[in-house]
Each structure stands twice: as structure tokens, then as C-alpha cells.
């Protein structure tokens, strides 16, 4: 898992990598070539991996002769990085995570078991929001998709020939359309692509230089935004559009539920405490800290917490004036 440079998410989760679709604009395929080493030599080292249904499985990181990890030892061939199953355990706060940024994990060559493993891992960390993206949304129809509302299912549409994909987005689930890269005038196809089929739209241009690279026109982008606004769909524009639409016209809409930052159970447990008097649980920030120090002028340490009601009662019982801190007056404390 990596902190993401993709503007609409916080992290990427690449338990499955690789893709056999031949999208000419694919940045992930180009990137994998930079971190694959000598693929022919890597494939010969059969002791470092195994095959499962014709695709590669890495139970441990693939290391080269110098001990350095090779991220994509088989190039862009589909690979399951099983050693990454526990990476979400490291996150303390809820994040928006793009799952499979370096793959199409819904490609027809990916075993169902791999996909269900990823779903299960995501379920085990419900504090996060998960974004799944594919050019093969038909696969959604063949799977038992999780019912959790923190999972968004998306598909990529780049031109008129891709519009049919929107029809395969799952009903009753959170869904989004990623129009990246925008390859042709959207005026004629954007209405059927969006009508009733999306909760969010992401728009971007090609960023990987190639022969035949398409730079979208302002009017193409405007058509999408106007239709989205008509339907009440939030729009997120990637940085690749700044030079085209100018900064003042950039849209950075994010669905409300993707703006929530939930805390992990571990963090929540650390933030909670029990009143030393009534033993009830409260957020520590809502209680009074009882501190002590071994000697005058020494460092103070928190030794206990007391809820505000108990603290006021304790002060009254011991004839101590209730300090006026954080609204801690008697008439503001309720049982």
C-alpha cells in the first residue's frame, strides 16, 4: 500500500497487479516497466514464486541479487502479492483507497478467489472507503459484491464506444464513472453514459506522453460538467485539466461519505477512558485529567481521568471550588 499521488484518493492498495487489456493510454503498464528488472531472468527463478490458474503468485517479496525488492518482477502480467494481505493494519485513520491502481482486478483472467480475498481484507478494515475501478464492469455481474456502503464500484469511459460499460455498474451500490483519459468530444454520448448510473464522476486527461496522445478540448469537459450538474452528480477534475479549463474553473467535488475520516478501533480505544469514580467510559477529551508529580517543579503525569459530573461532585464533597475551565460550572454538569 502506498500513499497516493492520485488526487481523489489517499492511498492505493495493490494486492493484485498487472493487466492483459491493451489500452494504449495505460500509464500503469508504462510504470511497471520501470520497476520490473530483467523479466526473463526473473521468470527463471521458479523458487521465488508459484503459478495459480495460469497467473503468478508471490508469497514473499521478490528480491533481486542485491537484495532489493522488484515490485513488478513479471512486468505487467497479473500477479497476486499475497504478502501484502496485512498492509491495511498500519492505517490508524480512515482513508479513501483506490484498490488495484496497478491492475484491473476484475479482468477475466483474475481468479474469483483473489477478488474475494481482497473484498474480505477490505471488510476487515471498515474505517476506510474503497474505490474499485475496471474497464470490465461485466465482471461485477458475476460476483457477490460486498453489501458494505463504504465501497464504490466504478468503470472507465473514455469515448462513445465505452458508454455501454455504465450499464453494468451494480444497482443498489455506490458507483462512479472515471472519464480518464477523455479521448473524444463527449457532447453526443455523455447523457446516456451518466443518466441514473453514477454517484460521482472523475475527469482527467492523458499524462503519459505517447504517439497519438489526445488533449481534450474545453468544450468536451464543459459538456460533461453541465450534464452532471443537471443530474446533481458531483464532479472531480484531475490536475491534468488545469491547463485546459484554468484553475478558476476546476471542480473538486467529493461525495459527502468520502469526506468522513473514521478512526480505527485501536485509535478509538486509546482515545477512550474510564472515570476513576463511576467507572463509566467516556472520550478522554471530555473528561478531567488527574495529574501528579513526584516533586515540586517536576514533570507531571496523567494518572487517571474523571468524568465532569464526578469531578464536580468530588470538588463539592471536599469543599474545593470547581475551577472554571472548559465550562466546568456546576450548573452546566448534568447527570
Amino acid at each position: 500500500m502506498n500513499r497516493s499521488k492520485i488526487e481523489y484518493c489517499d492511498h492505493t492498495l495493490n494486492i493484485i497487479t498487472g493487466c492483459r487489456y491493451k489500452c494504449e493510454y495505460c500509464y500503469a503498464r508504462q510504470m511497471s516497466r520501470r520497476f520490473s528488472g530483467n523479466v526473463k531472468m526473473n521468470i527463471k527463478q521458479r523458487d521465488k514464486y508459484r503459478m495459480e490458474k495460469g497467473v503468478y503468485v508471490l508469497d514473499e517479496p521478490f528480491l533481486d541479487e542485491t537484495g532489493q525488492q522488484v515490485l513488478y518482477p513479471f512486468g505487467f502480467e497479473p500477479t497476486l502479492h499475497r504478502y501484502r494481505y496485512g498492509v491495511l493494519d498500519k492505517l490508524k485513520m480512515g482513508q479513501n483507497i483506490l484498490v488495484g491502481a496497478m491492475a484491473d482486478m476484475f479482468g477475466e483472467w483474475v481468479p474469483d478467489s483473489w477478488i474475494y480475498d481482497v473484498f474480505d481484507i477490505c471488510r476487515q478494515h471498515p474505517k476506510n472507503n474503497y474505490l474499485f475501478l475496471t474497464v470490465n464492469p461485466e465482471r461485477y455481474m458475476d460476483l457477490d459484491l460486498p453489501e458494505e456502503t463504504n465501497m464504490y464500484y466504478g468503470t472507465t469511459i473514455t469515448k462513445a464506444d465505452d458508454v455501454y460499460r455504465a450499464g453494468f455498474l451494480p444497482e443498489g451500490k455506490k458507483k462512479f464513472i472515471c472519464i480518464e483519459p477523455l479521448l473524444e468530444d463527449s457532447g453526443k454520448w455523455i447523457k446516456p453514459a451518466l443518466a441514473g448510473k453514477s454517484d460521482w464522476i472523475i475527469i482527467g486527461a492523458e499524462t503519459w506522453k505517447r504517439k497519438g496522445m489526445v488533449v481534450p478540448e474545453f468544450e468536451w469537459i464543459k459538456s460533461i460538467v453541465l450534464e452532471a450538474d443537471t443530474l446533481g452528480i458531483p464532479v472531480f477534475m484531475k490536475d491534468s485539466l488545469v491547463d485546459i479549463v484554468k484553475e478558476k474553473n476546476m471542480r473538486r467535488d467529493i461525495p459527502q461519505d468520502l469526506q468522513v475520516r473514521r478512526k480505527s478501533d485501536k485509535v478509538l480505544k486509546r482515545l477512550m477512558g474510564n472515570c476513576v469514580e463511576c467507572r463509566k467510559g467516556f472520550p478522554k477529551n471530555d473528561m478531567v485529567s488527574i495529574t501528579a508529580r513526584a516533586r515540586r517543579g517536576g514533570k507531571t503525569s496523567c494518572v487517571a481521568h474523571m468524568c465532569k459530573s464526578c469531578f464536580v461532585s468530588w470538588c463539592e464533597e471536599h469543599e474545593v471550588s470547581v475551577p472554571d475551565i472548559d465550562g466546568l460550572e456546576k450548573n452546566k454538569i448534568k447527570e
Side-chain angles (χ1 to χ4, degrees), residues 69-128:
Q69 183 179 358
V70 182
L71 295 177
Y72 311 106
F74 317 113
F76 212 46
E77 269 299 291
T79 305
L80 177 68
H81 301 256
R82 191 175 291 277
Y83 61 90
R84 294 177 178 170
Y85 275 24
V87 294
L88 289 180
D89 297 340
K90 301 176 182 179
L91 292 179
K92 297 179 180 180
M93 296 288 293
Q95 305 288 314
N96 294 329
I97 299 175
L98 177 61
V99 184
M102 291 296 294
D104 193 322
M105 64 174 276
F106 297 96
E108 57 188 19
W109 55 84
V110 179
D112 286 358
S113 60
W114 290 16
I115 299 175
Y116 287 127
D117 279 355
V118 173
F119 284 160
D120 287 342
I121 290 166
C122 294
R123 283 196 186 100
Q124 292 165 20
H125 299 83
K127 65 182 180 297
N128 304 309

Side-chain angles (χ1 to χ4, degrees), residues 129-147:
N129 297 308
Y130 300 97
L131 308 173
F132 301 96
L133 183 62
T134 180
V135 298
N136 185 41
E138 295 96 322
R139 189 77 184 272
Y140 290 148
M141 313 295 289
D142 300 327
L143 297 165
D144 293 324
L145 300 178
E147 296 296 328

Side-chain angles (χ1 to χ4, degrees), residues 268-307:
L268 287 174
K269 185 177 180 180
R270 190 163 63 245
L271 295 176
M272 296 294 291
N274 292 100
C275 174
V276 72
E277 287 286 314
C278 67
R279 310 307 301 173
K280 294 179 181 178
F282 299 90
K284 291 180 180 177
N285 284 343
D286 291 339
M287 293 195 288
V288 178
S289 298
I290 310 300
T291 62
R293 57 189 174 195
R295 56 186 173 79
R296 187 178 184 87
K299 183 179 179 180
T300 60
S301 298
C302 179
V303 295
H305 290 83
M306 192 180 293
C307 73

